[in-house]
Amino acid sequence: MSLHAQHFFTDLLDLPVHERRVIGDACYAVVSPDSPLRLRIEFAQTIREREYGGLRLSILHPDCGALDHAYLSFADHGTFAVRDARLGNQPGHDGYGVVRDWHHDDTSPWIGAAVIPLSHAIQDYLKVWTPEPSPPPSSADSARRRPAQLDTDPEPSRGCWLTDADFLTRLHQATPLWLDIVDSVLDDGLPLTQALTGSRENAAQLLDIPPAFGLLIEAEAAARIVHAAGLPAGTLRGASVAQGLSHIATLPIEDQHHLVRAAARGSTIDAPAHLPGRTRPSPPPQPSSARTR
């Protein structure tokens, strides 16, 4: 199983760097355009061959070499907390908080991983080496600090959440991420209806939204899957979504995967012909060829 380093370092990790390149299983980044410092991120191997328990960070200088090293463990940052909870893994159990490339299929080990805490830790580490100059005191100082405070607070920033455009954007972005997690959970044999649940417990860590809003993500994800199958979704509190999910749950697992992935892309596909309750509309009646007087 490949570590899918390119996907992990360029698509998942949010790094405040000027430029980055993935070479092999390591990422090299230009910290800032006017700084000679470079950041190297590698997967830190455990005592087992091809098993990795975290990330090893290094600050490099072209003349002085390595200036500093840091280690960020997956277990300490909850990267695989959802996966381990689902599998019943506890600290000290084999496979807890680690990723392996022992197999030879093409499944990414990062599906469902919570990388936001890792990204925040790397950002904090880089701030030590690239401190921002302190702005001059002014009456607008508190206004400039407000966005940084909101970054660490997933709650809506002001008033009703329905009128908070930034918070609504986070909600919409969380839905395809949760659908990716649902897609990975289906491989563990859970029925679709159970795979959809759980965002409320992991909303803050995985989706960067308050747990109270996790139900909205589950509801929107369910409606998207039903819509992707070409079935009527109706309102979220109506019976159409529940009936559609029940029908889809009877499909072969590959068909369920196909629908969940289509829902994550926001597309609609033709439902399989053997979907229960799925009937194709009959063609409209042809006009009679007989003449009437």
Side-chain angles (χ1 to χ4, degrees):
M1 177 176 62
S2 170
L3 282 174
H4 292 257
Q6 184 75 36
H7 170 63
F8 178 75
F9 287 123
T10 61
D11 298 335
L12 297 184
L13 278 185
D14 182 16
L15 302 178
V17 296
H18 176 65
E19 186 180 358
R20 75 185 83 179
R21 291 288 185 272
V22 177
I23 303 174
D25 287 338
C27 176
Y28 294 83
V30 178
V31 176
S32 63
D34 57 349
S35 172
L37 298 180
R38 300 294 183 263
L39 171 68
R40 181 177 65 201
I41 311 177
E42 305 169 280
F43 298 109
Q45 185 171 309
T46 67
I47 59 174
R48 289 186 174 182
E49 181 75 16
R50 301 171 69 181
E51 180 182 84
Y52 305 89
L55 300 177
R56 188 176 305 280
L57 280 58
S58 301
I59 293 292
L60 309 176
H61 189 279
D63 298 325
C64 303
L67 302 180
D68 189 70
H69 301 283
Y71 172 68
L72 306 177
S73 75
F74 296 141
D76 289 345
H77 293 82
T79 308
F80 298 104
V82 173
R83 180 203 67 185
D84 290 335
R86 188 174 69 243
L87 299 177
N89 285 342
Q90 299 292 329
H93 289 184
D94 180 48
Y96 175 80
V98 300
V99 65
R100 297 163 171 168
D101 60 349
W102 292 357
H103 308 292
H104 300 285
D105 55 38
D106 195 38
T107 302
S108 171
W110 306 112
I111 296 177
V115 299
I116 293 177
L118 282 176
S119 296
H120 288 173
I122 296 174
Q123 291 171 19
D124 290 340
Y125 180 73
L126 286 177
K127 288 178 182 177
V128 176
W129 294 96
T130 56
E132 298 180 358
S134 301
S138 68
S139 58
D141 182 63
S142 59
R144 278 194 295 268
R145 287 198 301 265
R146 182 175 177 82
Q149 294 171 352
L150 292 177
D151 288 342
T152 59
D153 184 4
E155 293 288 347
S157 60
R158 56 191 178 276
C160 176
W161 63 271
L162 283 170
T163 60
D164 188 336
D166 294 335
F167 186 69
L168 285 177
T169 298
R170 291 216 307 271
L171 287 180
H172 289 305
Q173 291 173 343
T175 302
L177 175 59
W178 187 249
L179 284 166
D180 286 339
I181 297 174
V182 170
D183 187 43
S184 67
V185 171
L186 286 174
D187 287 326
D188 295 329
L190 287 179
L192 178 61
T193 50
Q194 291 185 27
L196 275 169
T197 63
S199 69
R200 70 203 83 166
E201 287 83 8
N202 303 285
Q205 184 180 42
L206 293 181
L207 308 176
D208 196 27
I209 61 171
F213 291 85
L215 282 172
L216 291 178
I217 303 303
E218 293 177 10
E220 184 177 350
R224 285 195 187 189
I225 296 172
V226 173
H227 178 71
L231 296 171
T235 63
L236 293 179
R237 292 187 299 171
S240 299
V241 172
Q243 292 172 352
L245 287 177
S246 297
H247 290 319
I248 294 170
T250 65
L251 295 175
I253 191 64
E254 287 304 319
D255 290 339
Q256 296 185 43
H257 277 297
H258 192 39
L259 289 171
V260 171
R261 292 164 189 166
R265 296 192 304 268
S267 59
T268 303
I269 62 176
D270 290 334
H274 53 282
L275 182 65
R278 177 71 166 176
T279 58
R280 298 188 178 276
S282 57
Q286 299 294 326
S288 174
S289 59
R291 296 182 178 179
T292 57
R293 297 184 182 271

